[in-house]
Amino acid sequence: MITEPAGGGSGADEYLARLPIGERPPLPVDGAQTWDIFPFEGELQVRTLAAPERPEPPRHGEEGPETCRECARPDSEFLWTDEHWRLGTTESPSGLPAVVLLWPRAHHDLFDLPAEQAAQLGPLLQRVERALRSLDGVARVHVNRWGDGAAHLHLWLIARPEGLLQLRGSTLSLWMDVLPPLPERMWAANAHRIAAAMAADGGTAHV
């Protein structure tokens, strides 16, 4: 059992006090740059660690739905929608077969997502993964949630091409920007297929 140490003070302050703020942390000898899935090689250095900003600046849409661009978008700009959820894609093709984002229709983050929508999320992620894996040559679908840029919950689902084992794991989102982007016609065809696969189990396809 882990017991809480005695003494006062803020745990956050204690954490920050031990960091090398204003310095370049050394690259660990067995860090990500040594992985065979890491997309870059050559001489690398860690960025200087900037001082913390507290309180943090607000994310986009932090003030509520009236300031949120995702809430303002019409359904026609998404691949698929239903009563509670909307599925979209990136504004332009990436270097991967498909990259989609899943949003709740209402303005929520993960921590305040209503219980009914939270219960829908697992089965819906399964549906989206099946839709992406219906594309030719997709081996895996990575599900990611970061949430540092926008307050409206959005989950990324990223298709990993079959056979490209160098693209496995946590660096897939880096490869997404490194590889040559899909031709527009292929990107549009994949988007149409994903939307149709989603609509086959309910909701409305918009492409």
Side-chain angles (χ1 to χ4, degrees):
M1 176 184 295
I2 299 176
T3 58
E4 185 175 352
S10 165
D13 289 341
E14 184 178 356
Y15 170 78
L16 292 172
R18 55 178 295 280
L19 295 180
I21 303 296
E23 302 175 15
R24 292 184 186 273
L27 274 172
V29 295
D30 58 350
Q33 79 281 0
T34 67
W35 302 347
D36 59 3
I37 61 173
F38 191 66
F40 309 110
E41 62 181 358
E43 185 176 349
L44 297 172
Q45 62 179 359
V46 181
R47 289 178 182 267
T48 300
L49 187 61
E53 295 184 48
R54 295 195 298 176
E56 293 189 2
R59 299 172 296 172
H60 174 80
E62 200 85 72
E63 296 81 6
E66 63 279 357
T67 66
C68 176
R69 58 177 169 262
E70 300 308 331
C71 289
R73 290 172 62 189
D75 282 2
S76 59
E77 292 187 3
F78 292 83
L79 302 181
W80 167 91
T81 62
D82 72 1
E83 182 182 359
H84 298 293
W85 298 92
R86 304 202 287 186
L87 184 73
T89 188
T90 52
E91 294 182 0
S92 58
S94 77
L96 299 174
V99 178
V100 299
L101 293 94
L102 179 66
W103 290 270
R105 182 179 289 277
H107 189 79
H108 294 290
D109 205 342
L110 185 59
F111 73 91
D112 67 347
L113 191 65
E116 180 182 359
Q117 276 71 62
Q120 296 168 356
L121 185 55
L124 188 55
L125 287 172
Q126 290 180 312
R127 282 179 64 187
V128 179
E129 176 166 349
R130 287 194 295 266
L132 267 63
R133 294 188 68 176
S134 73
L135 302 177
D136 295 335
V138 171
R140 298 283 184 270
V141 176
H142 293 201
V143 181
N144 298 273
R145 185 259 178 172
W146 291 287
D148 281 329
H152 194 135
L153 174 63
H154 53 290
L155 295 102
W156 295 73
L157 290 95
I158 306 174
R160 199 265 288 168
E162 183 178 14
L164 291 181
L165 300 185
Q166 199 174 4
L167 275 59
R168 293 174 299 168
S170 57
T171 62
L172 181 62
S173 59
L174 298 177
W175 284 103
M176 178 173 71
D177 293 331
V178 171
L179 298 175
L182 266 63
E184 288 276 351
R185 59 169 183 78
M186 183 181 298
W187 181 62
N190 287 352
H192 178 82
R193 188 164 173 177
I194 292 166
M198 291 295 296
D201 291 325
T204 303
H206 299 284
V207 295

